[in-house]
Amino acid sequence: MRHALTAVLAAASLSSTATAQTPAAPPPAQSEIGAAVAKDMDGLMTLYHDLHANPELSLQEVNTAAKLAKRLKALKYDVTEKVGGTGVVAVMKNGSGPTLLIRADMDGLPVVEQTGLDFASKVRTKTPEGVETGVMHACGHDTHMTAFIETARLLAAWKDRWKGTLVMILQPAEEVGKGARDMLEDGLYTRFPRPTHAIAFHDAANLPAGTIGYTPGYALANVDSVDVLVKGVGGHGAYPQTTRDPIVLGARIVTTLQTLVSREQEPQDPAVVTVGSFQGGAKHNIIPDEAKLLLTVRSYSDETRAKLIEGIKRVARGEAIAAGVPEDRMPVVTVKDEFTPSTYNPPEFAEQMATLLKGHFPEGRVVKTPAVMGGEDFGRFYRADKNINSFIFWVGGVPADKMAAAKAGQATLPSLHSPFWAPQADAVIATASEAMTLLALDILKKD
């Protein structure tokens, strides 16, 4: 440790309006938390291997939820299953004080694993659309769950060091942006103690293994999926003058959509409008009646999100008018029910948590990171009650040798969701378990 723990806690509590607590007995020193996690690592890696080898798709996390609920029950938590589908809520009350929500997500992705690991997933299933696919924890949710279980174990064992209420939740369907919403709609804040604080972490494919990254303010983006059905008048490819070509119109829409960001958006307010799919036609010499564009739209503020969506509608209609498309064949813009809201770390609380982490871990292990345009529905828990002090942080998973090779231009790092993503799981799990335990003990510290 760089500093005495008491000095760290004093620094971290300068802005303690978030917890309204007076620090007393400090939480265990770094070596004690780290030693406790190290002692459990063999068992944790066994759990991690099992979770990695047996992933389940979003909304199908039945076996995953059951095996982890069993562990939480053994730790004497009050466990409720099937919240918002397959979600699990485990409550431990330990006197008066703050209520801390700690979340891990459970779902895997429809990805055929290509890591070559001995415990690689061989699971195959069908998506809700009927497509047969492999299933993989390509986003690291297996590391999230494993560290979550260790944090739950340590906090249960150290009840004499904190007071308040723990609400440990295992969330389904993060990958499709539904899990947090489903749990909230199923009474997460009414059937169970309402949180005053919420924390979570996500593994990172661009940080060295064991490095912690944090971002005050907006950390992750609003994510919208938008469909644009481009209507035209079809006909023979040899007689285009008799048609209103939806493929040409679609191409014009794609081009003009780029100006929503490049010419209409404030440069210091990032946004993304990406056309990920352009579908139209079935034969060389037939101009179809319709084409379809599939877009992903990213933003941070709700105001920018609304502006982009309205801009997409305006561009689609405007280009159709310019192409001479009749009024009854105007494009149809549909915002899919897959919205993931932006994730916001209240800055004062984020800096407070970062100060604690920086004092606890060695120099350079905790770094400030820029916001990203990825999505993460952990933000819904804060949006449902903005009095909550919410904090999500990153834990790097890139092995040192691979990071060095990438920096030397000798290798390309796989991203999250890649079939090749294989984090240095022991470093992620150990670091995250220690960090979450440290933060929880500070938030729930005794008077």
Side-chain angles (χ1 to χ4, degrees), residues 52-391:
H52 186 88
N54 297 284
E56 295 174 295
L57 290 180
S58 305
L59 305 174
Q60 300 177 19
E61 311 92 340
V62 176
N63 294 328
T64 302
K67 70 177 66 172
L68 296 180
K70 182 177 179 181
R71 287 174 177 261
L72 292 165
K73 290 174 184 176
L75 294 171
K76 307 303 182 185
Y77 285 82
D78 182 6
V79 177
T80 303
E81 300 178 66
K82 299 181 181 179
V83 180
T86 58
V88 177
V89 179
V91 177
M92 181 172 287
K93 296 182 178 180
N94 192 28
S96 62
T99 298
L100 172 61
L101 181 152
I102 301 179
R103 185 217 70 165
D105 35 11
M106 297 187 290
D107 49 335
L109 286 158
V111 172
V112 179
E113 182 163 354
Q114 298 180 54
T115 62
L117 295 169
D118 292 341
F119 51 91
S121 169
K122 297 179 176 60
V123 173
R124 295 195 67 82
T125 189
K126 285 189 177 181
T127 68
E129 296 76 25
V131 178
E132 185 174 340
T133 180
V135 187
M136 178 190 174
H137 272 301
C139 201
H141 293 186
D142 43 3
T143 64
H144 302 179
M145 290 182 281
T146 306
F148 170 96
I149 289 295
E150 175 66 353
T151 302
R153 191 199 72 78
L154 292 175
L155 292 173
W158 288 341
K159 286 182 68 175
D160 60 330
R161 306 184 187 191
W162 59 273
K163 72 172 190 175
T165 300
L166 274 173
V167 181
M168 309 284 295
I169 69 169
L170 291 162
Q171 180 204 305
E174 185 276 330
E175 295 293 356
V176 294
K178 288 178 56 65
R181 183 183 67 182
D182 288 352
M183 293 190 79
L184 286 163
E185 290 178 350
D186 199 16
L188 181 64
Y189 286 0
T190 55
R191 295 168 55 192
F192 307 98
R194 195 180 191 90
T196 57
H197 300 74
I199 61 174
F201 87 96
H202 202 297
D203 71 310
N206 61 347
L207 290 174
T211 296
I212 295 172
Y214 74 98
T215 309
Y218 287 111
L220 295 111
N222 292 312
V223 180
D224 282 285
S225 296
V226 180
D227 293 355
V228 181
L229 179 62
V230 182
K231 298 182 180 182
V233 178
H236 199 298
Y239 313 110
Q241 73 277 11
T242 66
T243 72
R244 291 291 181 268
D245 191 336
I247 292 180
V248 173
L249 173 55
R252 289 177 178 173
I253 292 172
V254 171
T255 301
T256 307
L257 285 175
Q258 309 312 303
T259 65
L260 293 178
V261 174
S262 68
R263 288 298 177 270
E264 298 187 21
Q265 185 63 14
E266 161 62 46
Q268 297 186 69
D269 181 12
V272 171
V273 177
T274 294
V275 180
S277 177
F278 190 144
Q279 306 166 8
K283 198 173 187 296
H284 298 77
N285 63 347
I286 299 175
I287 293 173
D289 286 326
E290 296 180 343
K292 193 171 186 179
L293 309 179
L294 307 182
L295 285 64
T296 186
V297 182
R298 312 286 172 125
S299 58
Y300 289 124
S301 72
D302 289 349
E303 294 77 15
T304 295
R305 175 184 180 241
K307 177 183 173 183
L308 291 172
I309 290 172
E310 286 306 309
I312 292 167
K313 295 177 181 178
R314 169 172 51 84
V315 165
R317 179 175 175 81
E319 290 294 344
I321 292 172
V325 173
E327 183 65 31
D328 63 352
R329 299 291 291 168
M330 284 291 119
V332 177
V333 177
T334 304
V335 181
K336 305 287 284 184
D337 186 25
E338 298 174 2
F339 170 55
T340 297
S342 59
T343 300
Y344 186 78
N345 287 329
E348 185 179 4
F349 185 61
E351 293 291 359
Q352 179 186 343
M353 295 293 96
T355 297
L356 186 66
L357 291 167
K358 287 178 180 178
H360 185 80
F361 287 94
E363 183 84 34
R365 282 279 299 278
V366 181
V367 298
K368 186 177 288 190
T369 52
V372 298
M373 279 293 175
E376 160 63 83
D377 69 354
F378 178 72
R380 284 194 183 273
F381 300 117
Y382 170 74
R383 280 177 171 250
D385 182 352
K386 291 187 177 180
N387 291 314
I388 294 172
N389 279 298
S390 180
F391 183 59

